[in-house]
Amino acid sequence: MDGVPEPHTGWTFLTNHARVLAAIADNPNVRIRHIAAHCRLTERAVQKIISDLERDGYLSHVREGRTNIYRVEPDKVLRHPAEAGLPVGALLSLLVQDEVERKTASEQLGTARPRMPVDGR
């Protein structure tokens, strides 16, 4: 990936840490440059996030040749008090889908009927 990715404007539901962790959960030997492109972050930002996640025990890695193989700790609980007791694996199960489920979900969204507004108009 060349340069800095185009920034996202506006707010989102997920943090960059959640996005990076989901990308790793989806592919444990993913390269940092691919995570950065997918999450629209710089490689440096992804490295920092991975360091944070490893330091706090959500992630570990082993080096095999020139490749890192990551391991997510699915039983580690989320940090915020509002999600106390909820394991990170529960969040990741919502964010990470296999390729067949992704295509099915995309097809369903593409063929979904428009919903009627709440006021019935």
Side-chain angles (χ1 to χ4, degrees):
M1 186 177 117
D2 295 324
V4 177
E6 187 177 314
H8 172 80
T9 57
W11 64 274
T12 64
F13 283 101
L14 300 175
T15 66
N16 290 334
H17 283 66
R19 283 189 195 91
V20 168
L21 193 60
I24 291 170
D26 197 37
N27 180 0
N29 61 347
V30 66
R31 293 179 175 268
I32 287 177
R33 77 174 60 134
H34 295 127
I35 298 170
H38 176 73
C39 297
R40 300 179 78 176
L41 299 169
T42 63
E43 290 180 30
R44 179 84 172 145
V46 171
Q47 289 171 333
K48 168 89 170 73
I49 290 169
I50 288 172
S51 175
D52 289 346
L53 293 168
E54 285 187 314
R55 183 188 61 240
D56 290 341
Y58 289 92
L59 188 63
S60 61
H61 78 277
V62 294
R63 190 100 170 137
E64 287 188 11
R66 295 174 46 193
T67 305
N68 285 324
I69 308 296
Y70 296 98
R71 176 170 165 33
V72 174
E73 297 298 331
D75 296 328
K76 183 91 171 152
V77 295
L78 297 175
R79 294 172 43 131
H80 195 280
E83 295 91 30
L86 183 65
V88 73
L91 174 64
L92 292 174
S93 71
L94 297 173
L95 300 177
V96 177
Q97 303 171 343
D98 68 30
E99 196 62 29
V100 173
E101 290 175 349
R102 267 194 208 123
K103 287 180 182 174
T104 302
S106 295
E107 290 167 2
Q108 288 175 349
L109 285 174
T111 61
R113 281 187 2 194
R115 295 187 135 196
M116 181 176 286
V118 175
D119 65 3
R121 292 183 195 163

